[in-house]
Amino acid sequence: MNMAFMKYLGTIIICLPVICGQMIHYSVSEESALGAVIGNIATDANLTSDDLTMEYIFLSQSNPLTSLFQLEEKTGFLSVGMRIDRESLPECKFVAECLLNLDVICRNSGSFYQKVELKIKILDINDNSPTFPKGSQTLNVSEGSLIGTSFPIEGAVDRDSGDYSVHLYRLVPETAPFSVQYQKNVDGSSLVRLILKETLDRERQKTYKFQVVAEDGGLPANVGTLVVFVNVLDINDHQPVFSKTQFNVTVDEDVAVNTTILTLTARDDDEGPNGDVIYSLSPRQDEKILKLFQIVPTSGALQVKESLIFEPGKQYRIIVEASDRAKQPLISQTQVTVNVRDTHNNPPRIKVDLLSNTDKAQVLESASLNAPIAHVTVDDPDTGYNGKINCSIRSENFQLQKFNVLEYKVVVSQALDREVQSEYTIVVKCQDEGTPPLNASSTLKVTILDENDNDPVFTKLGYVVQTQEDNNIGASLIRVSASDKDIGRNAQITYKLEPSGYNFSIDSKTGLISAQFRLDREETSLIKLEVLAVDGGSPSRTGTASVVIKITDINDNKPEFQNESFLFAIQENAPKYTSVGLLVATDKDENKKVTFSLLPQYNGGIPFEILPNGTIRTSEVLDRETIAKYQFSVVATDSGIPPQQSSVKITIDVLDMNDNDPIFVFPSDNNSTVIISYQTLPHTVIAHLDTRDIDEGLNATVTYVTRERNYSHLFQLNSLSGRLILMRQLTNAEVGKYKLSIIAQDKGTPPRTSERAMTIIVTTQPILDEVSAPDDHKYFLIAIAISCVTLVIAVVIILTICLIKRADRLRQKYHEQQKSEPYCGISAQRFHGNTLDSLHCSGMLDKENREHQLYPALPNTMANSQISTKGITASLGQDDKIHHQISSFTLQHALRANNSFRQGSQLMRKEGDSTSDHSGEITPSDSGRGGSEDDLNNSILLSHSSSVDFENAKSNTPRKEMTFNSFNRPSLKLQGNSFGAKDNTQQKVTYSDNKTTSSPRNMLGVFQRQESLYSDAGSYCGHDDSTTTSGSYVLDQEDIFDGFNSSLHRGQCIV
């Protein structure tokens, strides 16, 4: 027990916070704002508690790193206490990751005591730029250096680390004959080399100046710049050249020793020792010449070395050499011919000392008046008047001032301008007073040293250049040129551009201006730049010129329409060439003339034309009822070369005019009678008037009124819906015929009307199927109708299978009788409409009269009659003339078979109504469907040749259609069913055949056995439960054609 307790106690002690230490990692960016919170030690160490005595302190206050941070003793919040510079922390130098270690003690007033180690990572920011050790560096490069020679320079150092250290070196400008390569060392330094990429020529350009730019990896990058001056060192690649190939000079025999008789000059284009010319007499000549003459090596002055008094009339040819001071000097030679004139006198002797200690006197062009440039000493060995000497010089800018006895100084007498004259030749002439007087002269050359007193001057004050837009980036535009009358560095010109807001650049040496962006005339057509020419003097002087860039246009913009698409509207029946609207398109180019046209595919296809100015107008009178909306595209073409095009979609709505009368669908010419029983319940809808108006909107909204007011107590017409409602219970005394005149009027302005007469017949005949049909039972009737149609569909499917089998048997019998019986050929597969006119008989009609009518057409009074039973209608229209020969007996059998199938249907004949349909069965739910007198007179119709209308194209009431697609067995196809009191759609059954044969017997799906008419006549009749306004029913066409079967078997022909 004691051992277990000790283990338990030890576990508790180990887990106490006093000895359980933690380590927390934080990170903070250098240069963070003072007070920026780094973290909460209490939260991050999971030491949060309600103990108000808990406090947090740094373990050692002597740690200098603690001064960088501020620790709130009560809350444990650690924040930035002072500016943190990562680069100045010793712990962060030469390390990729800078971690500062701090210890924090967490304690309370009790026994809780815990140390938390903090690892604070100082994140680097890009707060230092690359820095070169020096701001500039000078390199001396020999002009003979080979391409690829490298010259090391000191690299830049960036105190930042990682990506913020130096990442790239480049040269500015890039036209310098050097490139830069660098190698980054591990310690962050870099070894940079300049690589010569072009051959240097000191005689063409002596110095180069460019910048080495170091970039770090920041975004944006910080840069450091080193200005590099490159002095091109000379190599001895030019030899001295004398001003003449030979010289001639004549001297007196008594010329004084050391007298200069000729000064020779040679020029060397090299520099320094390679260009310093020294003169000497060639050792390869007569020794006497070397004894009598000498030449000053530095000035080229040819002097008499010994007296020539003993050599009168002699001629000496002296070979003088000029060589440079290179280690391997180049030498050139010339010849001087000296003629010694025979005299015996002593002229004055002149000695000129130049104060500039050079071969030529030098003076600044800014020298003040009386500034001395040379000291002249003269002597004459003669005495008396022969020894008195007078000296003078001939010069406008210099004069000779007497300094002492026989000593003079040459001084400046007028202001000098090196740009006017850079060098003067002064002749000092001294003459004694002897008889005859003798004279001597000495020549000295004065070079005027340049001062930077002239601004660079451009060849033009303003430059104008014309260039096309959409140029290549970097394309050169114009070269400007400036000159400076000064020389040397004072004449070295650097070209610059004043900031203009455009990205143009100029070559600082050549003055070539180029565009570093694509010019766009539509943004600006004229740009003016200010160009500066800065010389190299100290201080420098600047000249300015303007450059005007005229941007010419190219056809780079398409015409732009004002809208993405256009919508116009025009009234129908507007006259031809009526303006519909105007299209407007603009072009940013100078080719502002825009023409409009239709796309080629629309030419002649739409009743509109587009004028070149964008006007849309009609090319014919529009009819909204034919087409209500037109959509097409119009092309806008500018006048550029090549032209630019754009298209836009045009939509034109044809607005309706009230130009169509309402057309009565019911009552109609063929169906204008409604028959009801006097027992019909009140408020029953006995008829539903229907019209069609092909206009739209209010122009197609039709209202109904009646002219007669005498029957208002019996019937009420809803002017909006067209429903004719029985108002009260009729009595036996009110049985009879009522004629109403119905006016249909639309709501157009002005309105259009149509008028139709209709007849309501109230009969005493009891109607077996008549059932009250209030609105609350309509859903029950719909359910019954759906059930009936489902049953009919099932029966039709079964009959189809039976018909297919029976057709196979009939085909076999046809092959047996084919050779012995005549046949009737039909030239069209579809037995429909006027196509029936193309029927012809084979073997029964003469070749010359293949189309022969067995009976004439019905008279006009019978032309639009119908054969009608309950659910069976055969329209006999005048348009579709089918002359046939059918016995009254055959069709009456068909009607009887149909009546037996319909269970109780019967035909009722109302005398005196020869133009209306008459229904055999009338119920209140029929909405006034009635039969016509034509139905009652079916026996008369059957005895005449009739015209059967299978399409009834002028009626909106669909009927059953039968289509024959081949000459073999028919197949049954159910096209659709529709139910409801207001739906005029009826069931359609189509017969088609899947195999083609030339059988004349089974033409039109007619069977060989006549008894098929009796067995199938009723089964093909679909019951039409839909409410119609015509009051008629549909007779299936197969019933009629089955009746034709017996005629065909007897060799008769239907055409």
Side-chain angles (χ1 to χ4, degrees):
M1 178 178 179
N2 292 335
M3 290 298 294
F5 176 78
M6 291 301 294
K7 290 181 179 180
Y8 175 76
L9 181 60
T11 303
I12 294 176
I13 293 173
I14 291 173
C15 295
L16 284 176
V18 175
I19 60 174
C20 292
Q22 295 192 40
M23 181 182 294
I24 302 175
H25 290 266
Y26 292 111
S27 62
V28 63
S29 297
E30 65 173 335
E31 305 295 342
S32 295
L34 298 181
V37 177
I38 301 173
N40 188 291
I41 298 175
T43 302
D44 298 334
N46 296 322
L47 299 176
T48 56
S49 67
D50 296 331
D51 189 355
L52 299 178
T53 64
M54 180 69 72
E55 60 181 8
Y56 307 85
I57 58 174
F58 287 113
L59 181 60
S60 176
Q61 296 295 335
S62 61
N63 188 348
L65 298 177
T66 59
S67 62
L68 299 176
F69 306 94
Q70 182 177 354
L71 178 62
E72 295 185 9
E73 294 183 358
K74 294 300 182 181
T75 62
F77 278 99
L78 180 65
S79 59
V80 176
M82 61 182 296
R83 175 179 175 270
I84 300 176
D85 184 6
R86 184 183 185 278
E87 289 73 24
S88 62
L89 295 176
E91 292 79 3
C92 299
K93 290 184 177 180
F94 308 109
V95 294
E97 184 178 60
C98 177
L99 288 177
L100 303 182
N101 299 317
L102 299 176
D103 294 331
V104 174
I105 296 299
C106 307
R107 68 180 182 179
N108 61 7
S109 59
S111 60
F112 182 87
Y113 184 89
Q114 180 173 335
K115 183 177 77 171
V116 177
E117 294 182 27
L118 302 183
K119 299 287 186 179
I120 301 177
K121 182 179 180 181
I122 307 300
L123 303 178
D124 189 30
I125 63 173
N126 192 21
D127 57 342
N128 290 280
S129 300
T131 304
F132 286 89
K134 296 184 294 184
S136 63
Q137 184 171 345
T138 301
L139 295 179
N140 295 321
V141 180
S142 172
E143 67 176 334
S145 299
L146 299 177
I147 294 177
T149 304
S150 63
F151 304 91
I153 61 174
E154 294 186 61
V157 177
D158 195 330
R159 298 179 64 193
D160 295 324
S161 62
D163 293 335
Y164 299 137
S165 61
V166 178
H167 273 219
L168 174 67
Y169 287 91
R170 57 186 176 88
L171 297 183
V172 176
E174 297 179 355
T175 56
F178 295 88
S179 62
V180 62
Q181 291 182 356
Y182 71 98
Q183 178 181 348
K184 193 170 183 179
N185 298 324
V186 178
D187 59 357
S189 62
S190 54
L191 179 61
V192 184
R193 293 183 178 89
L194 295 178
I195 307 300
L196 183 64
K197 63 179 183 180
E198 295 177 9
T199 302
L200 302 179
D201 186 359
R202 189 204 63 79
E203 286 72 28
R204 183 172 59 87
Q205 185 169 348
K206 297 180 180 180
T207 61
Y208 292 89
K209 178 183 176 182
F210 53 86
Q211 295 178 342
V212 178
V213 179
E215 294 183 0
D216 61 22
L219 189 64
N222 293 329
V223 299
T225 303
L226 172 66
V227 180
V228 178
F229 297 92
V230 176
N231 295 323
V232 182
L233 301 181
D234 184 60
I235 61 173
N236 193 24
D237 56 346
H238 293 83
Q239 65 182 15
V241 177
F242 284 95
S243 58
K244 295 181 180 180
T245 57
Q246 60 183 3
F247 298 86
N248 288 288
V249 64
T250 299
V251 298
D252 295 332
E253 63 177 350
D254 56 351
V255 64
V257 177
N258 296 329
T259 299
T260 300
I261 61 175
L262 178 66
T263 300
L264 291 88
T265 58
R267 179 177 55 84
D268 194 332
D269 292 333
D270 292 327
E271 188 181 49
N274 298 329
D276 290 341
V277 179
I278 57 175
Y279 303 89
S280 62
L281 300 180
S282 174
R284 300 176 63 82
Q285 58 185 328
D286 190 356
E287 292 181 359
K288 189 175 182 179
I289 293 176
L290 298 177
K291 182 179 179 181
L292 294 176
F293 300 94
Q294 64 182 5
I295 191 168
V296 179
T298 57
S299 65
L302 183 63
Q303 299 175 343
V304 177
K305 187 177 181 182
E306 292 182 1
S307 178
L308 300 178
I309 196 170
F310 303 104
E311 303 289 336
K314 291 286 187 76
Q315 185 182 67
Y316 301 94
R317 290 180 174 84
I318 305 170
I319 299 175
V320 180
E321 291 183 344
S323 65
D324 54 32
R325 295 179 183 271
K327 293 181 179 180
Q328 296 180 353
L330 299 177
I331 301 174
S332 60
Q333 294 180 343
T334 189
Q335 178 177 289
V336 179
T337 301
V338 178
N339 297 306
V340 180
R341 187 169 49 233
D342 187 14
T343 62
H344 185 70
N345 53 7
N346 293 302
R349 291 177 295 185
I350 303 171
K351 180 180 179 183
V352 179
D353 294 316
L354 304 179
L355 301 182
S356 58
N357 293 323
T358 57
D359 296 337
K360 296 180 181 180
Q362 295 180 348
V363 61
L364 289 172
E365 64 178 329
S366 60
S368 60
L369 297 179
N370 297 320
I373 61 172
H375 184 270
V376 178
T377 302
V378 61
D379 67 342
D380 194 334
D382 298 332
T383 61
Y385 287 100
N386 292 336
K388 291 183 178 181
I389 302 173
N390 297 313
C391 296
S392 64
I393 60 175
R394 288 176 291 180
S395 176
E396 297 179 356
N397 300 90
F398 302 91
Q399 68 181 6
L400 192 65
Q401 293 180 355
K402 194 166 185 179
F403 177 71
N404 205 344
V405 179
L406 300 179
E407 288 184 333
Y408 300 87
K409 60 179 179 180
V410 180
V411 298
V412 177
S413 61
Q414 289 187 9
L416 302 176
D417 188 354
R418 190 206 64 79
E419 286 72 29
V420 175
Q421 187 171 350
S422 61
E423 189 174 85
Y424 294 86
T425 301
I426 302 174
V427 178
V428 180
K429 185 176 182 180
C430 296
Q431 180 175 305
D432 60 19
E433 297 181 1
T435 304
L438 296 178
N439 60 65
S441 64
S442 178
T443 303
L444 68 149
K445 291 185 180 296
V446 179
T447 300
I448 309 302
L449 300 179
D450 184 59
E451 287 273 343
N452 192 24
D453 57 346
N454 290 278
D455 294 333
V457 178
F458 284 89
T459 57
K460 297 179 181 179
L461 292 178
Y463 295 84
V464 178
V465 61
Q466 190 168 339
T467 183
Q468 283 188 343
E469 64 177 334
D470 199 24
N471 57 295
N472 294 326
I473 295 177
S476 300
L477 300 179
I478 190 174
R479 186 189 302 274
V480 298
S481 177
S483 61
D484 196 325
K485 294 180 179 180
D486 297 324
I487 60 173
R489 293 184 59 87
N490 298 331
Q492 292 180 0
I493 297 176
T494 301
Y495 297 94
K496 298 180 181 179
L497 286 176
E498 285 281 10
S500 62
Y502 298 97
N503 190 12
F504 290 94
S505 64
I506 187 170
D507 190 301
S508 61
K509 300 300 181 184
T510 64
L512 184 64
I513 299 176
S514 58
Q516 303 303 320
F517 67 105
R518 294 193 184 277
L519 300 173
D520 189 356
R521 190 204 64 82
E522 285 70 35
E523 292 184 3
T524 177
S525 61
L526 190 72
I527 298 176
K528 186 175 182 181
L529 303 177
E530 289 291 329
V531 185
L532 305 180
V534 183
D535 63 26
S538 180
S540 61
R541 301 178 72 94
T542 302
T544 61
S546 64
V547 176
V548 176
I549 301 173
K550 295 182 178 179
I551 304 171
T552 59
D553 185 56
I554 64 173
N555 194 24
D556 59 342
N557 288 278
K558 296 181 179 180
E560 294 180 357
F561 286 89
Q562 286 183 339
N563 303 322
E564 294 183 357
S565 61
F566 290 87
L567 175 63
F568 298 101
I570 186 173
Q571 199 82 21
E572 68 173 332
N573 299 325
K576 186 178 180 181
Y577 302 128
T578 298
S579 177
V580 178
L582 180 65
L583 300 177
V584 178
T586 58
D587 195 332
K588 295 180 180 179
D589 295 323
E590 293 179 346
N591 311 309
K592 294 186 179 299
K593 183 179 179 182
V594 179
T595 57
F596 302 83
S597 61
L598 281 172
L599 285 176
Q601 60 264 33
Y602 295 114
N603 288 331
I606 57 175
F608 299 93
E609 60 184 13
I610 309 299
L611 299 183
N613 66 352
T615 300
I616 303 176
R617 66 180 188 179
T618 60
S619 59
E620 62 186 53
V621 178
L622 304 179
D623 185 7
R624 188 205 63 81
E625 287 72 29
T626 303
I627 298 178
K629 178 182 289 188
Y630 294 87
Q631 289 185 339
F632 54 91
S633 295
V634 173
V635 176
T637 306
D638 61 24
S639 57
I641 300 175
Q644 295 270 14
Q645 290 184 338
S646 61
S647 62
V648 70
K649 182 179 180 182
I650 308 297
T651 301
I652 300 179
D653 290 329
V654 182
L655 303 180
D656 184 55
M657 288 184 62
N658 193 20
D659 58 344
N660 291 280
D661 295 333
I663 301 174
F664 275 94
V665 177
F666 178 80
S668 65
D669 292 337
N670 298 330
N671 188 9
S672 62
T673 302
V674 175
I675 303 175
I676 64 173
S677 173
Y678 77 101
Q679 298 175 351
T680 302
L681 296 177
H683 305 296
T684 299
V685 177
I686 63 174
H688 192 171
L689 305 184
D690 189 17
T691 57
R692 288 186 299 108
D693 193 328
I694 59 178
D695 292 325
E696 69 175 1
L698 292 177
N699 297 332
T701 303
V702 179
T703 59
Y704 304 89
V705 295
T706 60
R707 290 187 181 275
E708 290 78 14
R709 302 298 181 184
N710 298 331
Y711 306 137
S712 61
H713 63 289
L714 297 178
F715 311 100
Q716 181 181 358
L717 176 62
N718 189 315
S719 62
L720 296 179
S721 66
R723 292 181 179 179
L724 188 60
I725 303 173
L726 181 64
M727 296 302 297
R728 63 177 177 79
Q729 183 69 53
L730 300 175
T731 64
N732 195 21
E734 294 173 324
V735 173
K737 183 183 297 186
Y738 300 85
K739 290 187 178 293
L740 300 178
S741 181
I742 309 299
I743 297 176
Q745 176 178 291
D746 59 28
K747 293 185 178 182
T749 302
R752 301 180 71 96
T753 62
S754 295
E755 187 171 354
R756 179 75 69 182
M758 68 174 296
T759 302
I760 302 175
I761 300 176
V762 180
T763 180
T764 58
Q765 180 71 34
I767 305 302
L768 298 178
D769 294 340
E770 187 174 25
V771 182
S772 176
D775 291 341
D776 55 354
H777 293 100
K778 62 181 179 180
Y779 297 109
F780 177 72
L781 295 177
I782 292 174
I784 294 176
I786 293 175
S787 302
C788 294
V789 172
T790 303
L791 179 60
V792 170
I793 293 174
V795 172
V796 169
I797 294 174
I798 295 173
L799 288 177
T800 302
I801 297 173
C802 295
L803 289 174
I804 293 174
K805 292 183 178 180
R806 189 174 67 174
D808 291 337
R809 293 194 301 269
L810 292 176
R811 190 183 301 107
Q812 295 176 359
K813 293 181 180 181
Y814 159 73
H815 289 297
E816 296 174 358
Q817 299 177 1
Q818 183 176 6
K819 295 181 180 181
S820 59
E821 296 184 3
Y823 63 91
C824 181
I826 301 176
S827 61
Q829 291 184 352
R830 182 174 178 84
F831 192 82
H832 194 283
N834 293 331
T835 310
L836 296 174
D837 291 339
S838 62
L839 298 176
H840 67 273
C841 283
S842 177
M844 299 183 67
L845 299 177
D846 296 337
K847 295 181 180 179
E848 298 177 355
N849 191 16
R850 289 178 178 263
E851 296 182 5
H852 181 72
Q853 298 181 352
L854 299 181
Y855 294 94
L858 291 174
N860 292 335
T861 57
M862 303 296 294
N864 295 320
S865 301
Q866 291 184 342
I867 303 173
S868 178
T869 65
K870 181 65 176 180
I872 306 174
T873 297
S875 298
L876 304 178
Q878 187 175 3
D879 296 332
D880 298 321
K881 299 177 181 180
I882 305 175
H883 302 280
H884 56 82
Q885 183 177 8
I886 304 176
S887 66
S888 173
F889 175 79
T890 303
L891 284 182
Q892 287 177 3
H893 269 287
L895 296 176
R896 291 193 192 100
N898 183 70
N899 291 339
S900 62
F901 177 81
R902 298 294 294 168
Q903 297 181 358
S905 62
Q906 58 182 354
L907 298 175
M908 294 189 299
R909 169 77 180 276
K910 294 296 179 181
E911 297 180 2
D913 187 359
S914 61
T915 61
S916 63
D917 290 341
H918 192 78
S919 176
E921 292 180 358
I922 302 173
T923 65
S925 61
D926 245 349
S927 298
R929 288 183 296 177
S932 69
E933 289 81 355
D934 295 336
D935 295 335
L936 302 178
N937 297 327
N938 63 79
S939 61
I940 298 175
L941 294 175
L942 293 175
S943 64
H944 291 274
S945 61
S946 302
S947 179
V948 181
D949 181 8
F950 291 101
E951 289 185 341
N952 196 13
K954 297 182 179 181
S955 174
N956 289 337
T957 305
R959 302 188 310 276
K960 296 181 181 179
E961 283 186 348
M962 183 165 61
T963 302
F964 294 88
N965 295 326
S966 68
F967 304 130
N968 270 330
R969 69 176 184 273
S971 62
L972 186 61
K973 183 186 298 181
L974 186 61
Q975 292 186 340
N977 296 303
S978 177
F979 304 93
K982 299 180 181 179
D983 191 354
N984 295 334
T985 304
Q986 300 175 358
Q987 182 179 356
K988 295 184 180 180
V989 181
T990 300
Y991 290 88
S992 61
D993 189 42
N994 298 325
K995 296 183 180 180
T996 302
T997 180
S998 61
S999 172
R1001 289 288 182 178
N1002 295 334
M1003 205 71 69
L1004 307 177
V1006 179
F1007 307 117
Q1008 294 180 358
R1009 292 185 300 171
Q1010 185 175 355
E1011 56 270 25
S1012 63
L1013 175 64
Y1014 299 97
S1015 60
D1016 300 330
S1019 60
Y1020 293 155
C1021 297
H1023 182 24
D1024 181 11
D1025 288 331
S1026 61
T1027 302
T1028 67
T1029 59
S1030 65
S1032 63
Y1033 293 88
V1034 178
L1035 172 64
D1036 290 342
Q1037 296 169 359
E1038 60 266 30
D1039 294 344
I1040 298 175
F1041 287 108
D1042 283 348
F1044 296 164
N1045 187 26
S1046 61
S1047 298
L1048 292 175
H1049 285 181
R1050 291 192 298 270
Q1052 297 173 343
C1053 179
I1054 298 175
V1055 182

